[in-house]
Amino acid sequence: MAPKKKVVQEKPILLGRPGNNLKSGIVGLANVGKSTFFQAITRCPLGNPANYPFATIEPEEARVIVPSSRFNKLVDIYKPKSEVPAYMTIYDIAGLTKGAHAGEGLGNNFLANIRAVDAIFQVVRCFEDADIIHINDEVNPAADLEIVHDELRLKDIEFATKHLEGIDKITKRGGQSLEVKQKKEEAELVKKIIQLLEDGGRVANQKWTTKEVEIINSMFLLTAKPTIYLVNLSERDYVRKKNKHLLKIKEWVDAHSPGDLIVPISVSLEEKLAGMETDDERDAYCKELGAQSALPKIIVSMRQKLDLISFFTGGPDEVREWTIRRWYTAPQAAGTIHTDLERTFILAQVIKYDDLIEYGDEKSVQAAGKLMQKGKDYFVEDGDIIFVKAADGKAR
């Protein structure tokens, strides 16, 4: 009998940029708590956020440490000289107003900044505070969601229409060339996208084929970006897990952005916790309240939205958590450690995190036959601990 052919798992094309240094932008109307949330999640003081629209003009940027119990456990096992956790890059983007797609307020600048990020934290105001003005004079989260949704959608219609005009210039030449055929197929997809947007839909919440994803990624559409909705509650409502607007928000997201995550948060509580000096002080305050910070869940959830996973390198010198996109091959993952390693890659020695925890150390894992040798076609899995061997005689 002829030997069975090896089944090679096909790598899908993901919506969005292919890299692993992906950025998340904080988006919403003015005075909903965006800049205060940015300060809390990044522990990066910007001064007192101003109580008026357009207080933030140029986007602020900071890196956030990704909470990781696995990283902490590996540090306990290896006891390294150096510890390098994973990070996520966060942007605080200027507040949006109705008419932004047509250039109202800071509209063009705002939308350009959103186009530059890979995912969106949309902050929705659900708290009443007479000292913090609402840009529309009332707290109405569903209406706020509709404004942001419409502005991104209308701008995408503009982007898609211009893209279609460029395609039409090629298809009008006629002929049966491969380029003309491909452009005619692309034109049909873009018309489908325009109709979806005109009907109130978002590109990110639809199912697309691999070929369609390739085209969509080239268009850099705003509604193609994964979104997590952060419902900003008062501290009291956050602790008691009640607010009169929550049901309407869920109904709106189910209708307009199905499948996307809604995370309740109290920015005022997070600001208070960020101002405390020690973790013990923060833990004691949370225990007294009977509530926990929402920040770890928010960071981890966005990584999942962006199809980001972690692999680790470990030893007595350093434990490091590396961030890659799902479906990276072993050579690509090695390339995040050092670009030369992707080019000179020979193989990767892989230990599963659970196996290391079970057996206690690398020697015991190897003795149990759990140390795996993986080649160039291996897709790295979340939690892999990797030791790379390269052609230059070096191993990392």
Side-chain angles (χ1 to χ4, degrees):
M1 290 179 64
K4 290 183 179 180
K5 289 185 178 179
K6 184 179 179 180
V7 178
V8 178
Q9 198 172 9
E10 185 179 353
K11 177 180 179 179
I13 296 177
L14 303 173
L15 200 61
R17 291 193 302 166
N20 52 36
N21 184 24
L22 302 181
K23 305 165 185 175
S24 301
I26 303 170
V27 171
L29 300 186
N31 296 346
V32 297
K34 299 186 310 300
S35 292
T36 307
F37 169 64
F38 176 84
Q39 292 181 81
I41 198 169
T42 62
R43 305 281 170 87
C44 179
L46 303 175
N48 292 322
N51 182 23
Y52 55 86
F54 314 131
T56 303
I57 297 178
E58 294 300 324
E60 300 285 346
E61 174 186 355
R63 293 196 307 171
V64 180
I65 293 177
V66 175
S68 173
S69 58
R70 294 181 304 187
F71 175 79
N72 296 335
K73 188 67 176 176
L74 292 178
V75 168
D76 290 341
I77 291 173
Y78 287 105
K79 297 179 172 49
K81 298 173 185 174
S82 174
E83 304 169 17
V84 186
Y87 292 89
M88 175 182 286
T89 303
I90 306 285
Y91 282 83
D92 178 25
I93 297 174
L96 174 146
T97 57
K98 193 169 184 177
H101 74 281
E104 295 290 330
L106 296 172
N108 290 328
N109 189 36
F110 170 90
L111 294 168
N113 290 333
I114 295 181
R115 211 174 189 194
V117 300
D118 304 288
I120 295 171
F121 288 120
Q122 185 170 332
V123 181
V124 186
R125 177 173 171 175
C126 283
F127 65 90
E128 302 280 352
D129 190 329
D131 295 329
I132 302 177
I133 61 173
H134 190 286
I135 195 167
N136 293 325
D137 298 324
E138 67 170 340
V139 176
N140 186 340
D144 294 353
L145 285 164
E146 196 72 28
I147 290 172
V148 176
H149 174 71
D150 283 347
E151 295 307 318
L152 302 189
R153 186 175 56 80
L154 291 170
K155 197 64 180 181
D156 272 355
I157 291 173
E158 181 185 319
F159 288 145
T161 301
K162 287 182 179 178
H163 190 84
L164 185 60
E165 290 171 358
I167 295 171
D168 286 344
K169 289 178 182 178
I170 297 173
T171 57
K172 284 177 181 177
R173 297 175 193 165
Q176 299 298 317
S177 70
L178 180 61
E179 182 189 20
V180 170
K181 182 182 177 182
Q182 289 174 337
K183 288 299 179 183
K184 284 182 178 178
E185 292 175 356
E186 185 173 341
E188 290 306 309
L189 171 63
V190 177
K191 288 175 185 175
K192 178 181 174 182
I193 289 170
I194 292 172
Q195 188 61 58
L196 167 71
L197 294 166
E198 288 178 344
D199 291 342
R202 278 172 35 89
V203 174
N205 302 94
Q206 312 299 317
K207 290 189 179 297
W208 306 100
T209 67
T210 296
K211 185 182 262 187
E212 289 172 336
V213 169
E214 285 184 313
I215 295 169
I216 292 168
N217 284 349
S218 72
M219 297 172 69
F220 302 104
L221 297 174
L222 302 173
T223 63
K225 300 180 186 299
T227 299
I228 292 177
Y229 296 92
L230 305 181
V231 179
N232 188 7
L233 306 169
S234 67
E235 184 175 321
R236 176 175 177 271
D237 284 357
Y238 178 74
V239 171
R240 68 193 188 110
K241 300 179 181 179
K242 289 184 179 180
N243 181 278
K244 64 182 180 180
H245 299 293
L246 289 176
L247 179 58
K248 289 183 179 179
I249 291 171
K250 184 180 185 306
E251 289 172 347
W252 188 94
V253 172
D254 287 346
H256 297 86
S257 198
D260 282 332
L261 189 63
I262 302 169
V263 181
I265 181 174
S266 171
V267 170
S268 62
L269 171 60
E270 301 297 349
E271 181 183 32
K272 192 180 294 182
L273 294 174
M276 295 178 183
E277 293 186 0
T278 67
D279 287 339
D280 288 342
E281 191 178 355
R282 282 184 278 272
D283 291 343
Y285 187 76
C286 287
K287 186 175 181 180
E288 183 182 341
L289 280 181
Q292 295 295 321
S293 167
L295 299 186
K297 178 180 180 180
I298 289 168
I299 296 167
V300 171
S301 297
M302 183 53 82
R303 276 171 56 90
Q304 292 170 346
K305 271 282 189 183
L306 287 167
D307 286 302
L308 297 174
I309 63 173
S310 292
F311 75 93
F312 300 89
T313 52
D317 290 330
E318 179 185 86
V319 168
R320 185 185 291 249
E321 181 171 356
W322 303 87
T323 298
I324 57 173
R325 287 203 88 180
R326 196 176 300 279
W327 298 102
Y328 260 40
T329 61
Q332 287 176 308
T336 65
I337 300 172
H338 194 286
T339 51
D340 286 347
L341 286 180
E342 182 171 1
R343 178 177 53 83
T344 61
F345 178 91
I346 296 176
L347 63 84
Q349 293 183 332
V350 179
I351 295 174
K352 295 299 177 184
Y353 172 82
D354 288 343
D355 288 338
L356 183 64
I357 298 305
E358 180 180 350
Y359 292 98
D361 58 57
E362 290 184 6
K363 287 183 179 179
S364 299
V365 171
Q366 187 171 4
K370 297 289 187 177
L371 177 64
M372 297 175 286
Q373 311 284 340
K374 296 293 184 180
K376 293 181 178 181
D377 59 351
Y378 174 67
F379 291 119
V380 174
E381 297 181 353
D382 189 38
D384 281 354
I385 301 159
I386 295 178
F387 183 80
V388 178
K389 290 189 174 180
D392 58 5
K394 296 179 181 177
R396 299 167 177 85

